[in-house]
Amino acid sequence: MREIIRFAWGISSLGDFVVAMSEKGLVALEFSSMHAAMEDALRIRFPEAELERSEDGLAAVMEVVAGVIDDPASDCGLPLDLRGTSYEVQVWMMLREIRAGQTTSYGALAAKLGSRDPREVTAAIANNPIAVIVPCHRVIKKDGSISGYRWGVRRKRALLAREQHGVER
């Protein structure tokens, strides 16, 4: 029997987003206004799975995710089904340890993993399929400047500002 991955589209303060869930948990949270292209990307990412659109079935999840996008410091409580290489999953788990309102650098993450070369960390972060909840937006350049973000630097700045505002409360 083929695995079923359910997905749904939502609208947030940072734009359209798609959520995809396996039986184990969230496998994707991505920002995109190109619905057909993103759905094709999901089919390519999960070639062995049957993708099923499920707006009604994922309504509660969508509400939680929209809330986390508005307040990225909040704990969503959704189970995650992280799918990547063992190295990527290790990096993504490290990202989840970065507290809201704090940032780290690519080099600092690489050093924690025993490497001086941040390129592998950067590549793992770029492959992160779960925006906001796996907070790759909290990784910046060592000089403190904001570098690229898979879903746009504007979103990265907005997420960091929201977290900083939440910490100041």
Side-chain angles (χ1 to χ4, degrees):
M1 187 169 148
R2 290 180 69 180
E3 174 185 32
I4 295 174
I5 294 182
R6 298 176 304 142
F7 73 95
W9 284 95
I11 300 171
S12 76
S13 57
L14 294 180
D16 292 3
F17 66 94
V18 67
V19 163
M21 296 279 293
S22 72
E23 287 298 316
K24 294 179 185 175
L26 190 66
V27 293
L29 163 53
E30 301 209 35
F31 293 101
S32 180
S33 59
M34 299 183 297
H35 292 211
M38 180 53 67
E39 290 173 23
D40 287 344
L42 288 173
R43 284 183 189 85
I44 291 167
R45 186 179 311 155
F46 307 109
E48 303 298 318
E50 181 178 329
L51 260 64
E52 180 180 289
R53 194 173 190 127
S54 182
E55 260 74 12
D56 292 339
L58 294 175
V61 170
M62 300 303 284
E63 190 173 321
V64 169
V65 169
V68 170
I69 292 169
D70 285 340
D71 182 6
S74 66
D75 180 23
C76 76
L78 294 172
L80 303 182
D81 183 0
L82 298 174
R83 298 184 184 192
T85 67
S86 59
Y87 183 80
E88 287 172 336
V89 172
Q90 183 180 12
V91 170
W92 301 339
M93 294 303 290
M94 287 177 68
L95 294 175
R96 296 205 20 104
E97 294 171 7
I98 304 167
R99 296 177 63 128
Q102 296 181 343
T103 58
T104 191
S105 70
Y106 299 94
L109 285 175
K112 276 187 174 180
L113 291 164
S115 171
R116 292 185 185 186
D117 186 355
R119 288 179 288 195
E120 288 179 348
V121 168
T122 303
I125 290 171
N127 287 334
N128 171 25
I130 302 177
V132 187
I133 297 168
V134 176
C136 54
H137 62 275
R138 295 179 187 153
V139 183
I140 58 175
K141 290 182 171 183
K142 68 180 175 183
D143 67 4
S145 64
I146 293 180
S147 57
Y149 184 57
R150 181 176 177 173
W151 300 286
V153 172
R154 179 187 63 80
R155 284 190 182 104
K156 185 171 187 168
R157 280 195 179 98
L159 290 165
L160 290 171
R162 289 171 184 189
E163 288 184 2
Q164 197 58 48
H165 179 71
V167 169
E168 292 169 0
R169 285 185 209 157

